[in-house]
Amino acid sequence: MSIVLSIIIVILLIHIIYVRRKTKQDIDEFAESIINKDFSRKHPRHQAITDAFLHLAAEKEAQQHYLKEMLDLVDTGILAYNVETYETLWMNDSFTTMLNIPHIKNINWLKKQNEGLFKELLDIPVNKSTLITIHVRKQTVKTMTNASVFETGGKTYKLIAFHNVSATMEEVESSAWKGLLNVMTHEIMNSIVPVSSLSDTLRKKIQTLKENTAELSDNELEDMELAMDTIHRRSEGLLRFAETYRNLSQKIVPDMKLYNLYDLLSFIHSLMNPSLQQKGIAFTLKTDDPDVTAYMDRDLIEQVIINFVTNATYATREKEDPQIHLFSGRDTEGNPYITVADNGSGIPDAIRDKIFIPFFSTKKNGNGIGLSISREIIKLHNGKLHVQSEEKKGSAFTVLFNIK
């Protein structure tokens, strides 16, 4: 009996040892399958766990595929690389297209192809938007970059986003140049039109005198001399205006001198009256004090008054008795002022706050920069600009100078 019992015990021990070894072998194989991500071998005892891992692996693969498709569709270039080995973790199609390079496993490849680009990638600051210019195969690409650093799997990676802003900047630059050309064209036209009209009047007077073969009187000589002086002075002012805008990097500094306001308005009146007469507009000049003076850059202030008169001409175009008036004098506090008033259409309440916005205009062919330039010029003089207007009755623009 004892012999039989001993045999049974030995058999049980051998079975236990076998089962233990088999279990350990299954566990080792299962663990190896997990480490190597190899789920082709079947493990009946761990099938539920195997299925769970298979499901997770399938989800991860689907997420990676979705992420890849999504990043390849965006316009922003994406690059992620190991900061120690330079191995590429991620590189989307937008990045390779932007830099005109193939998908690469290690950005060290760039060191041989374009060392400058390689160094720029390494020097991109973290957590800061930076505009960089990338030179790739005779092309220049301006990009706004954002970079961050993250760790995963015990490794440190740098993630960089590249947004191509070349097209946007070119559009802004083109718009700026168009705006500048509008400014120059507007100011030149405002001066050339009255100069042309005045010179034409002078030419006709000379022609009439030639036909009549009459000698010139002293008054006629003075009128012609005044007309020529007016043309010369305004032409010089226009040249100085163009010179002021030649170098946009320099701040405009007014050439401040003391001038008589009535003399200034008399000059504007002589300059613009011929063209206004042709349009049937009554153009008057009045003053409360002909001796009032103010410190100013005369050429720039002339440009402001010409702008106001030009706008008044447009505002009175539909009036039966169009009128534009020039005034000079002192206000109740003793400050010198100049006013340009008209009996035109006035400024509607709805747009009164918008008239000084650059490029805002109610004129059919207007560019909307005359009043904005005028206000900036007055600011340069530390002066003030007041506007009074009543719809269908007229407007008055007043330049108030500081007393020095």
Side-chain angles (χ1 to χ4, degrees):
M1 182 70 178
S2 60
I3 295 174
V4 174
L5 183 61
S6 297
I7 292 172
I8 292 173
I9 292 172
V10 170
I11 293 173
L12 288 173
L13 287 173
I14 292 172
H15 181 71
I16 290 171
I17 293 171
Y18 171 79
V19 171
R20 183 178 177 182
R21 287 181 177 177
K22 180 64 175 173
T23 301
K24 183 179 182 302
Q25 182 180 354
D26 288 345
I27 292 173
D28 290 343
E29 290 179 356
F30 181 66
E32 184 180 357
S33 297
I34 293 175
I35 293 172
N36 296 326
K37 299 179 181 180
D38 178 15
F39 300 104
S40 58
R41 289 179 290 181
K42 300 296 183 179
H43 302 278
R45 297 184 181 183
H46 313 292
Q47 191 60 44
I49 298 176
T50 301
D51 291 343
F53 272 105
L54 285 172
H55 180 70
L56 289 174
E59 283 188 346
K60 182 180 179 181
E61 184 179 355
Q63 288 175 355
Q64 287 183 332
H65 180 74
Y66 173 76
L67 180 61
K68 180 181 183 304
E69 291 295 326
M70 182 178 66
L71 291 179
D72 283 341
L73 286 174
V74 298
D75 293 333
T76 301
I78 304 294
L79 170 67
Y81 68 90
N82 189 308
V83 296
E84 295 180 357
T85 64
Y86 299 143
E87 290 182 3
T88 302
L89 177 67
W90 199 272
M91 180 183 294
N92 70 345
D93 291 342
S94 294
F95 177 77
T96 59
T97 301
M98 185 184 303
L99 272 61
N100 196 16
I101 61 173
H103 285 269
I104 53 178
K105 294 182 178 180
N106 193 304
I107 64 171
N108 257 323
W109 177 87
L110 288 171
K111 195 171 184 179
K112 297 179 181 179
Q113 305 296 324
N114 190 332
E115 187 173 0
L117 175 58
F118 177 75
K119 290 181 178 179
E120 283 184 310
L121 293 180
L122 299 184
D123 293 339
I124 292 175
V126 176
N127 299 325
K128 180 181 178 182
S129 296
T130 308
L131 180 66
I132 66 171
T133 301
I134 299 175
H135 302 282
V136 183
R137 298 186 182 181
K138 299 181 179 181
Q139 293 183 354
T140 299
V141 180
K142 289 182 173 64
T143 65
M144 184 64 70
T145 63
N146 292 275
S148 61
V149 173
F150 66 94
E151 292 187 1
T152 181
K155 298 178 181 179
T156 303
Y157 294 90
K158 186 175 185 179
L159 175 66
I160 310 173
F162 300 81
H163 182 62
N164 190 341
V165 296
S166 293
T168 303
M169 293 187 69
E170 287 175 2
E171 184 177 346
V172 171
E173 183 178 340
S174 175
S175 178
W177 277 111
K178 288 179 181 178
L180 177 60
L181 288 174
N182 281 339
V183 169
M184 298 299 291
T185 302
H186 179 276
E187 299 307 302
I188 289 172
M189 289 299 295
N190 277 359
S191 289
I192 289 297
V193 169
V195 165
S196 175
S197 177
L198 183 58
S199 62
D200 185 57
T201 300
L202 186 59
R203 181 187 61 80
K204 290 178 179 177
K205 180 175 288 190
I206 293 174
Q207 185 64 33
T208 301
L209 290 170
K210 284 182 177 180
E211 291 174 356
N212 295 334
T213 63
E215 292 185 2
L216 295 175
S217 66
D218 290 341
N219 288 336
E220 289 172 331
L221 285 172
E222 288 180 4
D223 289 343
M224 293 179 66
E225 186 177 4
L226 177 61
M228 294 301 295
D229 181 63
T230 301
I231 292 173
H232 176 70
R233 185 189 293 272
R234 189 59 237 155
S235 298
E236 284 191 335
L238 185 58
L239 287 173
R240 185 171 179 271
F241 174 82
E243 182 67 25
T244 300
Y245 280 86
R246 176 179 290 180
N247 191 347
L248 296 178
S249 63
Q250 294 182 356
K251 184 178 179 180
I252 299 175
V253 179
D255 182 15
M256 305 291 281
K257 294 181 182 178
L258 194 63
Y259 289 100
N260 182 287
L261 299 188
Y262 186 72
D263 289 346
L264 170 64
L265 293 185
S266 296
F267 168 76
I268 299 293
H269 187 270
S270 298
L271 175 69
M272 305 193 73
N273 191 45
S275 62
L276 294 179
Q277 282 184 338
Q278 291 177 4
K279 296 176 181 178
I281 300 175
F283 192 34
T284 64
L285 170 61
K286 296 181 181 179
T287 182
D288 296 333
D289 184 350
D291 297 323
V292 175
T293 58
Y295 283 93
M296 68 180 76
D297 184 315
R298 176 161 177 160
D299 292 331
L300 292 179
I301 294 299
E302 280 180 6
Q303 203 70 44
V304 170
I305 304 305
I306 289 172
N307 277 334
F308 291 164
V309 175
T310 301
N311 287 343
T313 303
Y314 181 82
T316 58
R317 69 194 185 282
E318 295 180 357
K319 284 285 182 176
E320 293 182 0
D321 60 336
Q323 300 174 25
I324 300 175
H325 309 284
L326 300 180
F327 298 97
S328 68
R330 294 185 184 275
D331 66 3
T332 55
E333 296 180 358
N335 293 302
Y337 74 87
I338 289 174
T339 296
V340 178
D342 65 69
N343 66 339
S345 56
I347 305 170
D349 293 339
I351 65 170
R352 194 163 296 174
D353 295 335
K354 301 178 182 179
I355 61 174
F356 293 108
I357 297 175
F359 308 113
F360 174 82
S361 178
T362 58
K363 299 177 184 177
K364 184 177 181 180
N365 298 314
N367 48 37
I369 44 81
L371 288 179
S372 61
I373 290 176
S374 298
R375 185 175 62 173
E376 292 305 311
I377 289 175
I378 294 168
K379 284 182 179 179
L380 289 174
H381 286 73
N382 295 316
K384 295 180 180 178
L385 175 59
H386 295 302
V387 180
Q388 293 177 302
S389 184
E390 188 174 350
E391 196 167 357
K392 296 183 180 180
K393 291 188 177 181
S395 302
F397 288 76
T398 299
V399 179
L400 199 63
F401 298 93
N402 282 333
I403 300 178
K404 286 196 175 183

